[in-house]
mmCIF file of all heavy atoms in Angstrom:
data_model
loop_
_atom_site.group_PDB
_atom_site.id
_atom_site.type_symbol
_atom_site.label_atom_id
_atom_site.label_comp_id
_atom_site.label_asym_id
_atom_site.label_seq_id
_atom_site.Cartn_x
_atom_site.Cartn_y
_atom_site.Cartn_z
ATOM 1 N N ASP P 45 -23.926 7.826 -5.484
ATOM 2 C CA ASP P 45 -24.941 8.155 -6.487
ATOM 3 C C ASP P 45 -25.578 6.813 -6.889
ATOM 4 O O ASP P 45 -25.058 5.789 -6.592
ATOM 5 C CB ASP P 45 -24.390 9.053 -7.683
ATOM 6 C CG ASP P 45 -23.562 8.260 -8.624
ATOM 7 O OD1 ASP P 45 -23.605 7.028 -8.750
ATOM 8 O OD2 ASP P 45 -22.634 8.802 -9.269
ATOM 9 N N ARG P 47 -25.805 5.146 -9.643
ATOM 10 C CA ARG P 47 -25.057 4.204 -10.507
ATOM 11 C C ARG P 47 -23.922 3.473 -9.547
ATOM 12 O O ARG P 47 -23.888 2.365 -9.511
ATOM 13 C CB ARG P 47 -24.491 4.969 -11.591
ATOM 14 C CG ARG P 47 -23.693 4.050 -12.484
ATOM 15 C CD ARG P 47 -23.294 4.612 -13.862
ATOM 16 N NE ARG P 47 -24.524 5.117 -14.614
ATOM 17 C CZ ARG P 47 -24.587 6.310 -15.296
ATOM 18 N NH1 ARG P 47 -23.474 6.995 -15.416
ATOM 19 N NH2 ARG P 47 -25.547 6.600 -15.974
ATOM 20 N N VAL P 48 -23.154 4.266 -8.862
ATOM 21 C CA VAL P 48 -22.178 3.659 -8.091
ATOM 22 C C VAL P 48 -22.686 2.827 -6.914
ATOM 23 O O VAL P 48 -22.164 1.743 -6.684
ATOM 24 C CB VAL P 48 -21.135 4.733 -7.531
ATOM 25 C CG1 VAL P 48 -20.036 4.208 -6.608
ATOM 26 C CG2 VAL P 48 -20.658 5.599 -8.737
ATOM 27 N N LEU P 51 -23.494 -0.479 -8.326
ATOM 28 C CA LEU P 51 -22.374 -1.251 -8.862
ATOM 29 C C LEU P 51 -21.548 -1.778 -7.622
ATOM 30 O O LEU P 51 -21.106 -2.899 -7.412
ATOM 31 C CB LEU P 51 -21.483 -0.594 -9.733
ATOM 32 C CG LEU P 51 -21.841 -0.225 -11.102
ATOM 33 C CD1 LEU P 51 -21.125 0.829 -11.772
ATOM 34 C CD2 LEU P 51 -21.741 -1.478 -11.948
ATOM 35 N N VAL P 74 -27.661 10.760 -10.338
ATOM 36 C CA VAL P 74 -26.288 10.667 -11.045
ATOM 37 C C VAL P 74 -25.972 12.005 -11.697
ATOM 38 O O VAL P 74 -26.876 12.601 -12.265
ATOM 39 C CB VAL P 74 -26.260 9.494 -12.158
ATOM 40 C CG1 VAL P 74 -25.176 9.605 -13.020
ATOM 41 C CG2 VAL P 74 -26.444 8.233 -11.475
ATOM 42 N N GLU P 76 -24.120 15.994 -12.190
ATOM 43 C CA GLU P 76 -24.259 17.287 -11.558
ATOM 44 C C GLU P 76 -25.575 17.496 -10.798
ATOM 45 O O GLU P 76 -25.584 18.352 -9.951
ATOM 46 C CB GLU P 76 -23.985 18.409 -12.522
ATOM 47 C CG GLU P 76 -22.559 18.476 -13.151
ATOM 48 C CD GLU P 76 -21.499 18.794 -12.129
ATOM 49 O OE1 GLU P 76 -21.731 19.685 -11.217
ATOM 50 O OE2 GLU P 76 -20.431 18.180 -12.041
ATOM 51 N N LYS P 79 -25.370 17.895 -7.104
ATOM 52 C CA LYS P 79 -24.624 18.991 -6.403
ATOM 53 C C LYS P 79 -25.658 20.172 -6.428
ATOM 54 O O LYS P 79 -25.385 21.176 -6.817
ATOM 55 C CB LYS P 79 -23.436 19.348 -7.258
ATOM 56 C CG LYS P 79 -22.255 18.387 -6.945
ATOM 57 C CD LYS P 79 -21.049 18.625 -7.661
ATOM 58 C CE LYS P 79 -20.361 19.978 -7.566
ATOM 59 N NZ LYS P 79 -19.016 20.151 -8.139
ATOM 60 N N GLY P 107 -17.695 9.328 -7.546
ATOM 61 C CA GLY P 107 -16.767 10.367 -8.292
ATOM 62 C C GLY P 107 -16.760 11.724 -7.568
ATOM 63 O O GLY P 107 -17.251 11.933 -6.436
ATOM 64 N N GLY P 108 -16.299 12.722 -8.367
ATOM 65 C CA GLY P 108 -16.221 13.977 -7.818
ATOM 66 C C GLY P 108 -17.422 14.623 -7.402
ATOM 67 O O GLY P 108 -17.507 15.488 -6.442
ATOM 68 N N VAL P 109 -18.507 14.268 -8.088
ATOM 69 C CA VAL P 109 -19.845 14.847 -7.747
ATOM 70 C C VAL P 109 -20.233 14.321 -6.300
ATOM 71 O O VAL P 109 -20.518 15.185 -5.427
ATOM 72 C CB VAL P 109 -20.932 14.407 -8.795
ATOM 73 C CG1 VAL P 109 -22.311 14.487 -8.302
ATOM 74 C CG2 VAL P 109 -20.714 15.184 -10.080
ATOM 75 N N ASP P 112 -17.856 15.933 -3.735
ATOM 76 C CA ASP P 112 -18.190 17.375 -3.450
ATOM 77 C C ASP P 112 -19.405 17.597 -2.641
ATOM 78 O O ASP P 112 -19.394 18.485 -1.712
ATOM 79 C CB ASP P 112 -18.273 18.090 -4.827
ATOM 80 C CG ASP P 112 -17.034 18.741 -5.476
ATOM 81 O OD1 ASP P 112 -15.877 18.192 -4.965
ATOM 82 O OD2 ASP P 112 -17.012 19.501 -6.366
ATOM 83 N N THR P 132 -14.287 6.833 -6.723
ATOM 84 C CA THR P 132 -14.391 5.670 -7.646
ATOM 85 C C THR P 132 -14.197 6.040 -9.106
ATOM 86 O O THR P 132 -14.256 5.197 -9.948
ATOM 87 C CB THR P 132 -15.874 5.121 -7.482
ATOM 88 O OG1 THR P 132 -16.724 6.045 -7.837
ATOM 89 C CG2 THR P 132 -16.166 4.574 -6.064
ATOM 90 N N THR P 133 -13.887 7.310 -9.396
ATOM 91 C CA THR P 133 -13.525 7.666 -10.783
ATOM 92 C C THR P 133 -12.095 8.127 -10.818
ATOM 93 O O THR P 133 -11.538 8.566 -9.686
ATOM 94 C CB THR P 133 -14.371 8.989 -11.368
ATOM 95 O OG1 THR P 133 -14.061 10.115 -10.488
ATOM 96 C CG2 THR P 133 -15.797 8.703 -11.289
ATOM 97 N N LYS P 145 -11.668 20.814 -0.949
ATOM 98 C CA LYS P 145 -12.672 21.703 -1.453
ATOM 99 C C LYS P 145 -13.987 20.942 -1.713
ATOM 100 O O LYS P 145 -13.981 19.881 -2.296
ATOM 101 C CB LYS P 145 -12.081 22.228 -2.995
ATOM 102 C CG LYS P 145 -11.146 23.371 -2.832
ATOM 103 C CD LYS P 145 -11.196 24.272 -4.058
ATOM 104 C CE LYS P 145 -10.079 24.142 -4.952
ATOM 105 N NZ LYS P 145 -10.254 24.883 -6.189
ATOM 106 N N ASN P 155 -20.329 25.193 -8.769
ATOM 107 C CA ASN P 155 -19.487 25.304 -7.550
ATOM 108 C C ASN P 155 -19.544 26.675 -6.881
ATOM 109 O O ASN P 155 -18.620 27.161 -6.369
ATOM 110 C CB ASN P 155 -18.099 25.051 -7.926
ATOM 111 C CG ASN P 155 -17.827 23.654 -8.525
ATOM 112 O OD1 ASN P 155 -18.548 22.782 -8.154
ATOM 113 N ND2 ASN P 155 -16.797 23.416 -9.346
ATOM 114 N N PHE P 172 -11.722 0.047 -8.670
ATOM 115 C CA PHE P 172 -13.019 0.529 -8.901
ATOM 116 C C PHE P 172 -13.028 1.063 -10.435
ATOM 117 O O PHE P 172 -14.129 1.091 -10.969
ATOM 118 C CB PHE P 172 -13.331 1.860 -8.106
ATOM 119 C CG PHE P 172 -13.732 1.614 -6.607
ATOM 120 C CD1 PHE P 172 -13.077 2.000 -5.599
ATOM 121 C CD2 PHE P 172 -15.008 0.840 -6.426
ATOM 122 C CE1 PHE P 172 -13.624 1.769 -4.380
ATOM 123 C CE2 PHE P 172 -15.490 0.651 -5.188
ATOM 124 C CZ PHE P 172 -14.768 1.146 -4.134
ATOM 125 N N THR P 175 -14.906 -0.707 -13.697
ATOM 126 C CA THR P 175 -16.314 -0.491 -14.168
ATOM 127 C C THR P 175 -16.595 0.811 -14.732
ATOM 128 O O THR P 175 -17.656 1.177 -15.132
ATOM 129 C CB THR P 175 -17.290 -0.839 -13.027
ATOM 130 O OG1 THR P 175 -17.012 0.027 -12.040
ATOM 131 C CG2 THR P 175 -17.358 -2.167 -12.525
ATOM 132 N N HIS P 180 -15.477 8.544 -19.086
ATOM 133 C CA HIS P 180 -15.113 9.152 -17.754
ATOM 134 C C HIS P 180 -13.573 8.870 -17.404
ATOM 135 O O HIS P 180 -12.944 9.596 -16.660
ATOM 136 C CB HIS P 180 -16.038 8.492 -16.738
ATOM 137 C CG HIS P 180 -17.405 9.153 -16.828
ATOM 138 N ND1 HIS P 180 -17.676 10.446 -16.631
ATOM 139 C CD2 HIS P 180 -18.556 8.507 -17.153
ATOM 140 C CE1 HIS P 180 -19.071 10.603 -16.943
ATOM 141 N NE2 HIS P 180 -19.556 9.470 -17.289
HETATM 142 N N1 NAD B 1 -13.306 19.358 -5.029
HETATM 143 C C1 NAD B 1 -12.484 19.501 -5.948
HETATM 144 O O1 NAD B 1 -11.286 19.942 -5.655
HETATM 145 C C2 NAD B 1 -12.807 19.020 -7.357
HETATM 146 C C3 NAD B 1 -11.721 19.088 -8.342
HETATM 147 C C4 NAD B 1 -12.087 18.604 -9.627
HETATM 148 C C5 NAD B 1 -13.489 18.389 -9.983
HETATM 149 N N2 NAD B 1 -14.383 18.500 -9.004
HETATM 150 C C6 NAD B 1 -15.827 18.141 -9.179
HETATM 151 O O2 NAD B 1 -15.830 16.784 -9.612
HETATM 152 C C7 NAD B 1 -16.999 16.637 -10.466
HETATM 153 C C8 NAD B 1 -16.706 15.689 -11.646
HETATM 154 O O3 NAD B 1 -16.298 14.448 -11.063
HETATM 155 P P1 NAD B 1 -16.317 13.104 -11.983
HETATM 156 O O4 NAD B 1 -15.787 13.313 -13.285
HETATM 157 O O5 NAD B 1 -15.751 12.038 -11.059
HETATM 158 O O6 NAD B 1 -17.929 12.947 -12.199
HETATM 159 P P2 NAD B 1 -19.101 11.918 -11.413
HETATM 160 O O7 NAD B 1 -18.929 11.997 -10.044
HETATM 161 O O8 NAD B 1 -20.290 12.518 -12.050
HETATM 162 O O9 NAD B 1 -18.717 10.586 -12.105
HETATM 163 C C9 NAD B 1 -18.909 10.395 -13.505
HETATM 164 C C10 NAD B 1 -19.837 9.310 -13.753
HETATM 165 O O10 NAD B 1 -19.196 8.027 -13.469
HETATM 166 C C11 NAD B 1 -20.002 7.262 -12.760
HETATM 167 N N3 NAD B 1 -19.152 6.381 -11.837
HETATM 168 C C12 NAD B 1 -18.379 6.806 -10.877
HETATM 169 N N4 NAD B 1 -17.602 5.811 -10.401
HETATM 170 C C13 NAD B 1 -17.819 4.817 -11.277
HETATM 171 C C14 NAD B 1 -17.292 3.436 -11.287
HETATM 172 N N5 NAD B 1 -16.291 3.085 -10.506
HETATM 173 N N6 NAD B 1 -17.938 2.576 -12.280
HETATM 174 C C15 NAD B 1 -18.854 3.072 -13.130
HETATM 175 N N7 NAD B 1 -19.413 4.221 -13.154
HETATM 176 C C16 NAD B 1 -18.842 5.157 -12.147
HETATM 177 C C17 NAD B 1 -20.909 8.178 -12.020
HETATM 178 O O11 NAD B 1 -22.216 7.598 -11.640
HETATM 179 C C18 NAD B 1 -21.079 9.247 -13.054
HETATM 180 O O12 NAD B 1 -22.103 8.884 -13.959
HETATM 181 C C19 NAD B 1 -17.536 17.950 -10.919
HETATM 182 O O13 NAD B 1 -18.668 18.334 -10.237
HETATM 183 C C20 NAD B 1 -16.290 18.962 -10.438
HETATM 184 O O14 NAD B 1 -16.816 20.189 -10.198
HETATM 185 C C21 NAD B 1 -14.059 18.912 -7.779
#
Side-chain angles (χ1 to χ4, degrees):
D45 71 28
R47 183 166 301 144
V48 178
L51 287 166
V74 170
E76 291 293 319
K79 284 176 59 171
V109 159
D112 273 12
T132 62
T133 63
K145 280 212 247 174
N155 299 330
F172 280 121
T175 57
H180 293 295

